[in-house]
Amino acid sequence: MSKPKIDAGERRSALDEVIADMIAVDGPMPVDRYMALALGHEAHGYYMGRDPFGRAGDFITAPEVSQMFGELIGIWCAAGWQMMDAPAEWNLIELGPGRGTLLADLVRACSVMPGLRDGMKVHLVEMSPALKTMQAETFKRAGIEATWHERLEDVPDGQSLIIANEFFDALPVSQLQKQSGHWHERVVGLNCENKLVFGLASDAVAPALVPSWAAGAADGEIVEFSPARDAVAREVGRRITQDMGAALIVDYGHTRSAVGDTLQAIRKHQFGDVLAQPGEADITSHVDFEALASAVTADGAKPYGPVTQGDFLIKMGLKEREEMLRARADARQRIRLSKGAQRLVSGNQMGQLFKVLAVTHPDMPKPAPFNVEAT
Ligand SMILES: C[S@@+](CC[C@H](N)C(=O)[O-])C[C@H]1O[C@@H](n2cnc3c(N)ncnc32)[C@H](O)[C@@H]1O
């Protein structure tokens, strides 16, 4: 994906000033620290005070594209609940619920399963005060009671289904760059005009820190890894292995670990310079699904996939669901439904780049749609 270097000359953001001051005092900061501040700084972090979704915002996510996305994940959850032997009490956990749209659609769809909702406890992991308020409004309208937590570790133990859509891409990533045969951590520093610029830490990192798959990389190559993602993925795996359960992780990224700089900034639906306006743009990086699967299965959970989002949704019955909704829709709604379905599954939109990884307790049967052979 091309990343135009734009935004030069735009006004500095409030957070840009804060980060520049930190660097002036403490020296250059690693890329993961920069990303964590850009998204989660208490006062000026991108997610902390705004609704970033939709046409008026910066980007759109699958649940905001079409209700069918959340509904099909709801069907997946209904099957998952049965595979856990229909527990009387269980946790439905969502990581990074955005506006709450996915969860509301999911709960509506899985509620058709008799008994499922009786002992369901909804737990949300969310850092944004602004989005927590929006989520609470969405759930009030949908008649859903929920409890919010800062971290997955704070959610009570118990049998759980865990859902995450476009959550892991927002967790900070570290970068190393190879220079003269040695790997150095990529950092954010200041140039002589006091502007944020990328640089490299002067000391080479210990060889043990370099992922083994990067051994043959050429000078100038960048590798990414994310202790923050690994830690959450390990906690997901620990919970479902210890207590029984399953997880469904959807995000954009690559199936195999590979070299490359995937850090990106999106503002008003356009790619921009990652350092231009911290706090004003969404900064993410592609998810390395090989690393994610390895972390989430560290305690023995079983992985399925990743498969493409297009493949997942079609096998879960997207076409059939669209037909059902079309049958009772007016002409405008029908257009919206088919445009939404198209956007979710087509290869040049969300269908190919987005991947779906399922993880289950090792004793659970293979979950749908991973038990369906390709036709
Ligand atoms: C790109 S949005 C995805 C929202 C939603 N899942 C959807 O598909 O519409 C990322 C979500 O993760 C939350 N988030 C990002 N980093 C987080 C963190 N470190 N801890 C908790 N929530 C976080 C954001 O506030 C937001 O709700």
Side-chain angles (χ1 to χ4, degrees):
M1 204 176 287
S2 67
K3 294 189 284 175
K5 297 282 177 231
I6 52 164
D7 299 345
E10 279 195 48
R11 68 173 177 80
R12 291 183 77 151
S13 63
L15 188 56
D16 181 294
E17 307 274 357
V18 172
I19 291 176
D21 287 349
M22 287 177 175
I23 294 172
V25 173
D26 297 328
M29 62 175 64
V31 166
D32 63 341
R33 169 96 177 112
Y34 172 78
M35 189 170 164
L37 287 167
L39 298 181
H41 181 274
E42 213 178 358
H44 306 299
Y46 176 75
Y47 274 113
M48 304 311 268
R50 61 157 61 74
D51 171 15
F53 304 95
R55 221 174 261 186
D58 296 313
F59 57 84
I60 188 154
T61 55
E64 304 298 333
V65 167
S66 171
Q67 69 185 73
M68 292 183 284
F69 182 79
E71 289 170 345
L72 293 173
I73 293 182
I75 305 297
W76 189 88
C77 285
W81 178 73
Q82 283 188 314
M83 280 164 43
M84 294 193 293
D85 284 338
E89 284 204 358
W90 63 288
N91 295 326
L92 173 61
I93 304 173
E94 187 180 359
L95 309 178
R99 284 175 167 170
T101 309
L102 165 55
L103 195 106
D105 290 337
L106 179 170
V107 168
R108 190 178 61 248
C110 68
S111 297
V112 297
M113 178 72 72
L116 176 146
R117 259 189 99 162
D118 300 346
M120 177 180 85
K121 301 267 182 298
V122 173
H123 294 279
L124 307 160
V125 177
E126 176 56 71
M127 72 170 177
S128 160
L131 290 176
K132 275 183 206 167
T133 304
M134 291 195 73
Q135 291 153 19
E137 285 162 9
T138 306
F139 300 149
K140 196 170 170 200
R141 284 195 299 275
I144 297 168
E145 277 183 31
T147 311
W148 280 263
H149 309 270
E150 293 294 314
R151 304 169 327 137
L152 180 56
E153 286 83 343
D154 302 332
V155 177
D157 281 342
Q159 300 196 31
S160 300
L161 296 177
I162 305 174
I163 306 298
N165 182 58
E166 287 206 54
F167 170 75
F168 282 93
D169 65 72
L171 299 186
V173 72
S174 304
Q175 292 187 325
L176 305 177
Q177 189 163 21
K178 201 169 190 183
Q179 191 183 51
S180 308
H182 297 283
W183 289 97
H184 296 257
E185 178 145 35
R186 207 160 176 234
V187 293
V188 177
L190 294 173
N191 68 10
C192 53
E193 291 165 342
N194 212 34
K195 286 205 167 129
L196 300 178
V197 285
F198 283 115
L200 294 183
S202 48
D203 290 341
V205 298
L209 270 184
V210 182
S212 54
W213 47 261
D219 257 14
E221 297 272 30
I222 290 176
V223 299
E224 296 177 341
F225 60 97
S226 175
R229 286 177 193 166
D230 291 351
V232 179
R234 271 201 306 273
E235 175 63 9
V236 168
R238 183 199 68 76
R239 298 178 86 89
I240 62 182
T241 310
Q242 177 188 288
D243 296 333
M244 176 60 69
L248 194 72
I249 298 172
V250 188
D251 226 309
Y252 50 93
H254 35 282
T255 305
R256 295 261 162 244
S257 301
V259 295
D261 169 16
T262 73
L263 207 59
Q264 62 186 35
I266 292 203
R267 193 174 172 218
K268 305 270 173 243
H269 304 270
Q270 305 275 333
F271 288 112
D273 186 324
V274 170
L275 301 182
Q277 290 199 306
E280 301 292 322
D282 184 29
I283 298 182
T284 60
S285 82
H286 288 203
V287 171
D288 174 348
F289 274 90
E290 188 174 354
L292 197 71
S294 153
V296 83
T297 56
D299 281 332
K302 216 164 168 192
Y304 296 94
V307 296
T308 64
Q309 175 172 299
D311 195 26
F312 175 83
L313 292 176
I314 285 171
K315 284 188 184 156
M316 285 301 296
L318 183 82
K319 292 272 181 320
E320 294 77 2
R321 181 63 187 147
E322 187 188 342
E323 282 312 311
M324 278 174 73
L325 290 169
R326 280 175 75 86
R328 48 175 199 257
D330 63 26
R332 258 182 78 184
Q333 290 167 329
R334 281 204 287 274
I335 292 172
R336 224 176 110 78
L337 279 167
S338 58
K339 275 191 172 168
Q342 186 65 13
R343 187 158 182 183
L344 291 177
V345 299
S346 87
N348 58 5
Q349 298 194 60
M350 302 177 98
Q352 196 75 33
L353 178 60
F354 282 76
K355 313 282 188 305
V356 183
L357 174 72
V359 196
T360 68
H361 186 281
D363 295 343
M364 273 167 77
K366 205 184 234 193
F370 301 89
N371 53 4
V372 176
E373 294 305 324
T375 48

